[in-house]
Amino acid sequence: MGVFDHAEFDNHESLHYFHDQTSGLRAIIAVHSTALGAAAGGTRRWVYNNDADALTDVLRLSRGMTYKNAVAGLRFGGGKAVILANPDTAKSPEQFRAYGRSVDSLGGRYVTAEDVGCSVDDMRIVHEETEFVSGLPQTGHDAGGDPSPWTALGCYQGIEAAVQARLGADSLRGIKVAVQGVGHVGLFLCRLLHEAGAELFVSDVNTDNLKMMTDEIPATVVAPTELLFSDVDVLAPCALGNILTSTTIPRLKATVVAGAANNQLSTPADGVRLAERDILYAPDYVINAGGIISVAAEYYDNGSEEDVRADVGRIKDRLKKIFGQAKETGRPTHELADELARSIVAAARP
Ligand code: NAD
């Protein structure tokens, strides 16, 4: 399949392929929309089965960033990057420098930060080559740094809103939550959920991450193949996307799905399937916007940690509104969120 007729193309403004022979870098940067500002979205470093899978991933993630940034009220358009990792080679500073030069060559049309497979240290190396990067270590009480704790905070507050809307519970005490993936965001989320008295069920395919989490926080470990189907109140996906499908949705026991992972729905029809089963779905790009809110505050140098905290707090209000509209109209939450995002982008177009 080509690019322009790709099922996920969705009017992307531009697509950029990069290769650096010396470091072995292979990367794709997708710019979905610059209607609201520079296309911003993190860099995912992942071992893909083939180039076609990497292309599909970056296109879906980049459109999601347009929607996420629009709904969060940020001066950012949407973009995303994937680095196609080689399973036999560890990541190297040379590769991130080459990647930084790639980002720089776009002259600010795309602004990057960390996503799955990339750390604050990696972004520090990228910063040696370009100013178009955020999520760098900050000093004092300036906004910015690792976006994951902010993503986790937004998710935690979003889970509170969803549990209130679906189960009528005013607290998470005793609420059973299954967290899929205890990496950067998942670990911070588990800490918040544990402090609130939730009962945790967790899985991760990375045994080091799982051990680090369970050494600190009491939780029942579930096999990765079974976690989605745990007998819990809330499923919080915090690993990769495409997990809510025609095969998995009929087997879910949770009545709330609310977590950080991008592109949780395999297709829009899966959002309808969730609604038909009366499972309340917190649209992923609405609930997981905490990190990009922090990234934007750092990039535009406008605000303190406290400002970011207040802004992340508004995620909960947006979700409450979407849940209320869904209840009133009987429409699935993902449709209402998509409609809102598209209307904000359309209004910004000259
Ligand atoms: P991460 O790489 O730090 O953590 C992901 C974890 O999921 C890893 O520990 C990995 O081993 C685990 N995992 C992968 N496949 C799994 C499976 N099948 N079952 C169980 N565990 C599995 O990534 P992260 O930064 O924590 O991001 C998690 C998700 O949230 C991603 O989808 C990311 O795009 C999204 N997200 C992250 C941020 C952020 O601020 N980091 C912001 C918005 C959205």
Side-chain angles (χ1 to χ4, degrees):
M1 183 185 285
V3 170
F4 296 111
D5 55 357
H6 193 289
E8 306 293 345
F9 180 66
D10 192 41
N11 294 315
H12 265 73
E13 287 182 13
S14 61
L15 198 60
H16 310 266
Y17 284 75
F18 294 95
H19 175 242
D20 178 68
Q21 199 172 8
T22 314
S23 66
L25 172 77
R26 292 188 307 147
I28 312 174
I29 298 178
V31 172
H32 179 251
S33 169
T34 55
L36 289 162
T43 302
R44 176 169 293 191
R45 185 178 180 278
W46 194 249
V47 177
Y48 290 97
N49 288 333
N50 50 53
D51 297 5
D53 284 359
L55 174 63
T56 302
D57 205 28
V58 79
L59 289 173
R60 290 196 73 198
L61 289 165
S62 133
R63 178 188 46 210
M65 288 311 301
T66 299
Y67 287 11
K68 184 185 308 194
N69 295 337
V71 172
L74 302 175
R75 278 190 291 142
F76 271 153
K80 195 86 183 184
V82 293
I83 293 178
L84 289 77
N86 179 335
D88 304 321
T89 323
K91 57 185 178 183
S92 69
E94 291 70 31
Q95 203 170 84
F96 278 101
R97 275 189 209 103
Y99 175 64
R101 290 192 293 278
S102 308
V103 171
D104 201 61
S105 72
L106 299 182
R109 269 175 69 72
Y110 169 67
V111 175
T112 199
E114 46 279 85
D115 186 47
V116 173
C118 293
S119 65
V120 174
D121 283 341
D122 299 330
M123 289 306 121
R124 206 197 322 240
I125 298 170
V126 170
H127 189 224
E128 290 173 17
E129 303 288 342
T130 184
E131 64 189 281
F132 306 120
V133 54
S134 193
L136 301 165
Q138 299 296 299
T139 50
H141 292 288
D142 288 347
D146 180 5
S148 310
W150 297 110
T151 305
L153 179 63
C155 284
Y156 168 74
Q157 294 174 344
I159 291 172
E160 283 182 325
V163 162
Q164 220 292 323
R166 178 64 182 81
L167 303 171
D170 290 326
S171 138
L172 295 183
R173 184 152 300 281
I175 296 288
K176 292 181 179 171
V177 186
V179 181
Q180 184 188 41
V182 289
H184 287 98
V185 180
L187 176 61
F188 284 111
L189 179 62
C190 285
R191 282 186 187 136
L192 295 170
L193 290 168
H194 173 63
E195 278 165 25
E199 192 182 337
L200 292 173
F201 298 77
V202 296
S203 78
D204 201 301
V205 291
N206 178 323
T207 47
D208 291 342
N209 286 356
L210 195 59
K211 182 169 182 332
M212 191 161 67
M213 185 266 157
T214 49
D215 278 353
E216 180 188 326
I217 304 164
T220 304
V221 174
V222 180
T225 47
E226 289 308 311
L227 190 278
L228 291 181
F229 316 116
S230 305
D231 192 359
V232 291
D233 303 297
V234 180
L235 171 63
C238 294
L240 298 179
N242 285 322
I243 51 157
L244 301 170
T245 68
S246 57
T247 315
T248 60
I249 291 170
R251 296 184 59 204
L252 299 184
K253 296 198 184 81
T255 46
V256 168
V257 176
N262 283 306
N263 294 336
Q264 293 169 33
L265 300 175
S266 186
T267 67
D270 297 309
V272 177
R273 281 190 187 97
L274 287 172
E276 282 170 356
R277 285 209 53 209
D278 201 12
I279 296 172
L280 184 61
Y281 169 64
D284 47 13
Y285 59 79
V286 182
I287 195 173
N288 72 12
I292 196 75
I293 288 171
S294 165
V295 160
E298 175 186 329
Y299 190 71
Y300 289 117
D301 201 11
N302 63 350
S304 64
E305 256 179 37
E306 283 321 300
D307 297 322
V308 172
R309 189 175 301 282
D311 232 2
V312 171
R314 293 188 189 98
I315 291 173
K316 186 173 186 175
D317 301 332
R318 283 183 205 114
L319 285 168
K320 278 185 186 170
K321 199 165 167 191
I322 290 171
F323 296 153
Q325 285 172 340
K327 196 170 178 187
E328 256 169 50
T329 61
R331 295 182 60 201
T333 51
H334 76 288
E335 277 183 22
L336 295 163
D338 285 1
E339 227 167 67
L340 174 65
R342 282 196 286 262
S343 71
I344 295 168
V345 175
R349 282 209 185 95

